[in-house]
Amino acid sequence: MGVLDGIKVVELAEHGFVPSCGAILGDWGAEVVKVERPTGDPLRAIMSAGFVADTGDFNFLWELYNRNKRGIALDLRVDEGRDAFDRLIEHADVFITNFLPSARVKLRTNPEDLFAVNPRLVYAKGHGQGQRGPDADAGGFDAVSYWSRGGVGHILSPEGGPMIMQRGAMGDAPSGAMLAGGIAAALFQRERTGKGMVVDTALLNFAVWQLGVDLTATTILREEPQKMTQGVARSTNPLVGPYSTRDGRYLILNMLDDARHWAPVCRALGLDALIDDPRYVDTAARAENAVALHAAITEAIGAHDLADARDLLKREDTIFSALQSPLETIDDEQVVANGYLAAHPTHPTARVACAPMQFDDERITIRRPAPGIGEHTEEVLAEAGFSDDEIAALHKVGAAGAA
């Protein structure tokens, strides 16, 4: 049983950010109905445009953010289509959208419009730059609102070097998870009060949250944060940072509690003589002699291939990881054991990234593939109480169905 079994969600959203929220709600068991314009969500065409990897006749990007949903095609610019939309809202628990304020005014889908139809509705909206300010009605994909305007790209690009560009939907997917969490809190509040409420998440807001360590310090110091160095970083704690192995790979050590892990690391790397060396007797001494200690650890790790170095460190219960490639990550034993990539219900080999939450230690399952344009129009309308004649009339005036 999903934690949101029985919760009905109407999604009027396009591209990645807010639809990723709908996918998470679907992963949790909610009944998600995606309302598309008759020509379809533009996300359907992104793969063929060359912006992401081309997986042929299986549109992985569409599946990633629209699995576990049913699809209905409605033209809300037509009065009959707008009225049919209200019939869906009457029975919904949650409405999610990323339409800009100006579009919501034209389509009469602002909170006050939908609360008039269903006062118990949880109304969730996702933005680029937020709901207030001069750019509230400006469009903004994650490359603009999250990566660029939020400062993430700047802090991760090397000093004086080329700007580093983000990977696909790098801000969309986690922002969608944030919106899903907000919806869950709002549903809990509704159970206590009986009233719906508005949930709002912005890509820019998520960037600020994600860079909270840097941005909060910047508000105090009023100077740009120091960027990470390229290559192997030098830390005052040599048990934190990347080290090269003999076969050209990287191991990332991350033992913030150096007092606890000092002796185990030395034993793992054959540096037993350093355990009681006065130069490295405590945290302060190790920090003072970090350059020499870093050189010793570099030499010790560099004498081993990655596989051997991992085995040595694992035996001493240290905290580390190899710098893995995507090919390695998809088959990582922890990723597989925990079901973080779930089998697609119709594709023989595709595994789809799951919502990053599990309940009662149950793995997420993909119950249905992403819908075709208007695939479930008649089915969903019939469940909302439309007669066959009413559905036929909607098709006749162009209010329902794919173009």
Side-chain angles (χ1 to χ4, degrees):
M1 179 178 180
V3 292
L4 292 186
D5 276 5
I7 295 295
K8 296 182 178 180
V9 179
V10 174
E11 174 187 306
L12 183 67
E14 298 177 337
H15 291 288
F17 168 20
V18 172
S20 75
C21 169
I24 290 173
L25 299 177
D27 284 357
W28 293 351
E31 300 173 28
V32 183
V33 172
K34 183 180 183 73
V35 179
E36 292 184 78
R37 57 176 112 173
T39 53
D41 182 340
L43 182 70
R44 293 178 180 274
I46 294 295
M47 186 184 78
S48 61
F51 291 111
V52 294
D54 189 346
T55 49
D57 59 358
F58 182 76
N59 191 338
F60 82 95
L61 189 61
W62 179 250
E63 295 290 333
L64 178 59
Y65 295 133
N66 291 285
R67 77 298 184 97
N68 287 340
K69 301 177 186 177
R70 291 187 294 172
I72 178 172
L74 284 179
D75 191 338
L76 302 192
R77 299 169 301 176
V78 178
D79 287 343
E80 291 86 349
R82 183 60 186 71
D83 292 342
F85 176 77
D86 274 350
R87 295 268 290 272
L88 297 179
I89 293 297
E90 285 178 17
H91 304 286
D93 296 286
V94 179
F95 171 71
I96 59 176
T97 188
N98 64 352
F99 280 28
L100 293 171
S102 55
R104 299 200 309 266
V105 169
K106 291 178 183 177
L107 297 175
R108 292 177 287 116
T109 57
N110 265 325
E112 60 271 20
D113 301 309
L114 302 195
F115 285 147
V117 176
N118 181 352
R120 285 177 50 83
L121 188 70
V122 170
Y123 185 113
K125 49 191 169 77
H127 299 268
Q129 286 71 234
Q131 58 188 319
R132 306 176 190 88
D135 293 332
D137 200 35
F141 292 98
D142 62 343
V144 170
S145 306
Y146 161 78
W147 187 258
S148 301
R149 193 163 188 170
V152 181
H154 175 86
I155 202 70
L156 294 180
S157 294
E159 193 72 50
M163 185 197 78
I164 300 299
M165 194 56 193
Q166 69 169 65
R167 304 299 294 174
M170 198 169 176
D172 284 342
S175 298
M178 292 289 182
L179 186 59
I183 289 168
L187 285 170
F188 177 73
Q189 173 73 351
R190 188 189 70 174
E191 292 307 300
R192 297 196 295 187
T193 67
K195 296 181 180 179
M197 66 188 311
V198 177
V199 182
D200 186 277
T201 298
L203 292 165
L204 179 58
N205 193 171
F206 174 66
V208 170
W209 170 251
Q210 191 171 56
L211 283 185
V213 170
D214 287 309
L215 296 183
T216 301
T218 300
T219 66
I220 300 165
L221 299 173
R222 304 305 298 182
E223 59 185 35
E224 295 290 357
Q226 182 178 358
K227 293 192 176 185
M228 298 297 289
T229 57
Q230 290 181 275
V232 178
R234 299 292 189 267
S235 170
T236 57
N237 176 2
L239 303 190
V240 173
Y243 290 88
S244 292
T245 59
R246 184 170 57 192
D247 51 351
R249 299 295 303 274
Y250 278 107
L251 271 176
I252 312 299
L253 306 186
N254 199 223
M255 285 158 278
L256 301 175
D257 186 354
D258 66 308
R260 173 187 171 191
H261 291 103
W262 169 241
V265 168
C266 288
R267 290 194 298 267
L269 299 177
L271 298 174
D272 304 62
L274 300 185
I275 294 176
D276 297 318
D277 190 315
R279 294 175 298 167
Y280 311 125
V281 68
D282 57 23
T283 298
R286 288 189 285 273
E288 186 176 349
N289 294 283
V291 173
L293 183 52
H294 193 283
I297 296 175
T298 297
E299 182 179 1
I301 291 178
H304 299 280
D305 288 343
L306 176 64
D308 292 337
R310 282 202 290 199
D311 287 343
L312 292 169
L313 289 164
K314 188 176 290 187
R315 290 174 198 166
E316 293 289 344
D317 195 26
T318 59
I319 301 173
F320 72 95
S321 175
L323 185 65
Q324 295 194 148
S325 72
L327 272 175
E328 291 171 317
T329 298
I330 63 172
D331 293 327
D332 184 297
E333 59 188 3
Q334 289 303 118
V335 172
V336 174
N338 288 285
Y340 295 153
L341 288 161
H344 188 271
T346 60
H347 193 279
T349 62
R351 288 181 288 150
V352 182
C354 293
M357 315 85 177
Q358 295 183 355
F359 303 94
D360 282 341
D361 297 326
E362 292 290 330
R363 299 195 292 185
I364 295 292
T365 59
I366 309 300
R367 304 185 309 281
R368 63 167 73 236
I373 301 176
E375 179 181 346
H376 305 99
T377 298
E378 286 76 16
E379 175 184 316
V380 170
L381 290 176
E383 289 176 4
F386 284 79
S387 66
D388 290 344
D389 289 343
E390 287 177 311
I391 294 173
L394 287 171
H395 283 298
K396 185 175 181 180
V397 298

